[in-house]
Amino acid sequence: MTSAIVIAGVRSGVGKTTIASGVMGALARRGLRVQPFKAGPDYIDPTYHTIACGVPSRNLDTWLLPHPVVTELFHRAAGAADIAVVEGVMGVFDGHSSLDEDGSTAELAKLLDAPVILIADAGKVARSVAAEVYGYQQFDPDLRIAGVILNGVGSERHLEFCQPQIEATTGQPVVGWLPRRDDLVQPERHLGLIPTVEGTVVNQWYDTLNAQIEQTVDLDAIIRIAATAGGPINAATQVFPDTPQRARAAIAVAQDRAFSFYYQDSLDLLSAWGAEVIPFSPLDDEALPDGVGGVYLGGGFPELFAGELAQNEGMLRSMRSAVQRGLPVYGECGGLMYLGDSLSDLDGRQFNMVGAIPVVSSMEGRRLHLGYREVEACAAGPLLCAGEQVRGHEFHWSVLQEPPSEESAAYRVVNQSGRPEGFRKGSVWASYVHVHLGSRPGLARRLVDTCAAAASK
C-alpha cells in the first residue's frame, strides 16, 4: 500500500488548497515521488497540485464514481509513488447528502483507509479551536484524524494558546501551522480559484509557500502518519481495459485558457480505449486538427475570452464545417456555451459563436447552479444509449435565454423531477453537466467507437 494522507478542512475557505499544494511541493522538493489527488468534482484545485508535484492530479469522487472505480483510479496512479496526498472538498463531512457521508472527504478517507490531517482556522480564536477539532473527532470516531494543521496563526504566542489544548483534548498532534500572510492568498473569482493555465500563478508563489511549509510544518511527522495508511495493494479493473487497445480514432480536445476543465482520468480512459487525444485551441488555432473523428469541448471560462473566440473566424468556420459533415461533437458547460449561437461576457457584450445548437448564454442575471446530477439519456448519443443513466456534476453561473425543450434535450435530470437538460442536434451533444468517463463502464469506449465510426466514413 502506498503511503497516503488526506488533507481535509473543517469547512471551505480554511486554506486547504494552499496547505495541500505546499505540503505536496515541499515533499516533492525532498525528492519524493508525490501523487496528488483531489476529492470531489473540482477542476481548478488540481491544477495547483500538478504544478507542485510535476505530475497530473486526479479526482476521486465517491458519489460520481462507484467505489471500486475510486480504488482502481487511486491505485493506478499512486502505485509508483512514494506518497499520495489527497486534498479534501468543502468541510470533511460535507457531500451529496445532509444526513450521511455520501460523496464526502470522510467517506473517501475511510474507503482508502488513509489517515486525515485536519486543517482548522485559528484566525479569530485561541483555546476555543480545540473544541472545534474535538467536535470533528467525535462526530465520526471511525474517521482516522491523525493530526492538525492550524491556519491563520497570528504569532508563536498565539500558537501557544491553541496547540496545547488541542493536543490535550484530542490526543492528536498539531503537526504544523501557517501564519497570516497576504502573499500566500491566491485571488478568486466567480467559480473559485483562477486556473493555473491562465498564467496568474507564478513560481515565486510556490517558492514562498514551500519555504513557509518547510519552516512551520513537520513534514517528517506527516510522512510517518502517511505510512500508517492501509487498504488493498491492488484494485480490480473496472473501467480501464484489461489489455492494451490499438489506436482507432483521433479525438480533438479543446485545451487552452478558455477550456481546461477535464478529469485527467477521463482523458486517460479515452487513450486507453483507442483514442489519440489531440489538443487544440479554439482561441489560437486556425482550424481543427486534420483527420480527427470527433471533438470534445470541456468546460472552462469562455465568457472571459468571448471576444477572442469570436475573432477566431477560422476556427469557427472549421467547427461549423465539422458539424455539417456530421462529425461527433461533445460539449460540456463551457463547451455548450461555445457551441451555441452566442454568449455574453461579464460586461454584457454579446458575441457570435459556432451556432451548432440553439443556445444564447449570458452572464447577465447570473446565478449559481451547483450540485450533483443524475441524468438519463433521451436518445442514443456519444456516451450513452437511450434510457441509460449516469451521474455528473453541474457548476456554472451563466444562464440560457431559452431552456432546452423535451424534444431536443440531451438528458432528463432524474434527481430533479426529470427536467430537460442539454441539447442534441444532429451529431452534436452538449450539456451543462460534467461527466467523469469513469462514472460507469463503457462511457469512454462508446465515445471512441462513435468517433472511429465517423472517421471511417
Side-chain angles (χ1 to χ4, degrees):
M1 171 67 186
T2 301
S3 291
I5 197 82
V6 176
I7 296 180
V10 296
R11 65 182 65 84
S12 293
V14 296
K16 288 192 305 294
T17 302
T18 297
I19 292 174
S21 299
V23 168
M24 292 171 185
L27 292 172
R29 286 191 177 195
R30 288 191 169 194
L32 296 175
R33 294 169 297 175
V34 183
Q35 176 57 56
F37 294 94
K38 171 66 181 180
D42 190 287
Y43 289 105
I44 298 176
D45 293 357
T47 67
Y48 288 75
H49 305 166
T50 297
I51 291 179
C53 299
V55 296
S57 181
R58 298 167 185 275
N59 293 75
L60 301 173
D61 190 304
T62 55
W63 191 86
L64 282 183
L65 304 170
H67 287 191
V69 172
V70 172
T71 56
E72 176 188 3
L73 299 184
F74 175 80
H75 289 290
R76 183 180 177 88
D82 297 311
I83 186 170
V85 181
V86 183
E87 181 194 342
V89 59
M90 299 186 293
V92 65
F93 298 114
D94 300 321
H96 175 253
S97 171
S98 61
L99 291 175
D100 62 41
E101 65 179 9
D102 201 9
S104 69
T105 305
E107 182 180 50
L108 175 61
K110 289 192 283 187
L111 177 65
L112 300 178
D113 193 10
V116 173
I117 300 293
L118 189 66
I119 300 173
D121 184 4
K124 296 182 180 180
V125 294
R127 180 171 174 259
S128 297
V129 72
E132 183 176 39
V133 174
Y134 180 71
Y136 277 75
Q137 182 187 52
Q138 295 301 307
F139 186 80
D140 182 359
D142 292 332
L143 181 67
R144 193 146 55 97
I145 296 176
V148 177
I149 293 177
L150 295 174
N151 199 8
V153 176
S155 63
E156 292 193 10
R157 177 64 174 160
H158 181 197
L159 181 65
E160 291 174 2
F161 277 93
C162 302
Q163 180 173 354
Q165 188 68 68
I166 292 173
E167 294 179 342
T169 302
T170 69
Q172 300 301 334
V174 174
V175 297
W177 58 281
L178 258 66
R180 303 169 192 163
R181 290 185 60 174
D182 292 341
D183 59 347
L184 295 182
V185 178
Q186 281 293 318
E188 298 189 16
R189 60 176 178 233
H190 53 288
L191 291 184
L193 295 176
I194 298 175
T196 58
V197 70
E198 295 183 27
T200 58
V201 182
V202 295
N203 289 335
Q204 181 181 357
W205 181 80
Y206 281 97
D207 292 339
T208 302
L209 174 60
N210 288 338
Q212 181 65 59
I213 292 288
E214 289 168 352
Q215 180 181 349
T216 56
V217 174
D218 188 344
L219 295 173
D220 291 329
I222 288 177
I223 292 170
R224 289 194 299 271
I225 292 170
T228 67
I233 297 176
N234 296 305
T237 297
Q238 302 290 324
V239 289
F240 277 89
D242 292 322
T243 57
Q245 305 291 299
R246 64 177 180 84
R248 51 200 174 86
I251 301 178
V253 179
Q255 291 182 298
D256 58 17
R257 290 166 293 144
F259 302 96
S260 61
F261 290 3
Y262 299 94
Y263 298 119
Q264 182 62 44
D265 282 308
S266 288
L267 300 179
D268 289 351
L269 278 163
L270 290 176
S271 298
W273 285 106
E276 180 187 1
V277 174
I278 303 179
F280 78 101
S281 172
L283 283 170
D284 301 321
D285 293 339
E286 295 181 357
L288 288 169
D290 293 334
V292 296
V295 181
Y296 180 6
L297 292 152
F301 292 101
E303 66 271 20
L304 299 180
F305 304 95
E308 294 176 60
L309 291 168
Q311 289 170 8
N312 192 351
E313 296 179 356
M315 179 58 72
L316 291 175
R317 285 194 299 269
S318 182
M319 286 292 304
R320 291 164 186 154
S321 174
V323 170
Q324 291 169 0
R325 298 194 312 270
L327 201 71
V329 178
Y330 172 62
E332 292 180 337
C333 201
L336 172 144
M337 297 163 69
Y338 179 65
L339 290 167
D341 292 325
S342 66
L343 67 85
S344 71
D345 62 15
L346 295 177
D347 295 322
R349 296 172 298 182
Q350 205 78 14
F351 296 91
N352 292 331
M353 292 292 125
V354 175
I357 52 176
V359 166
V360 175
S361 58
S362 173
M363 299 301 291
E364 295 184 71
R366 58 186 182 267
R367 62 187 182 88
L368 181 62
H369 299 77
L370 169 66
Y372 287 120
R373 307 289 183 252
E374 191 159 8
V375 298
E376 179 179 288
C378 295
L383 296 185
L384 299 169
C385 297
E388 288 184 332
Q389 296 183 0
V390 70
R391 289 181 168 187
H393 186 259
E394 189 174 2
F395 187 22
H396 60 95
W397 281 93
S398 63
V399 295
L400 302 183
Q401 189 176 80
E402 296 290 337
S405 66
E406 292 186 4
E407 293 75 23
S408 64
Y411 303 118
R412 288 183 289 272
V413 183
V414 177
N415 61 345
Q416 289 190 336
S417 304
R419 69 168 174 87
E421 165 55 37
F423 296 81
R424 68 182 198 277
K425 185 178 180 182
S427 62
V428 177
W429 276 63
S431 167
Y432 268 126
V433 176
H434 298 276
V435 175
H436 191 300
L437 295 183
S439 293
R440 60 175 288 161
L443 294 178
R445 179 172 54 188
R446 183 177 175 87
L447 181 55
V448 176
D449 288 346
T450 301
C451 296
S456 65
K457 292 182 180 178

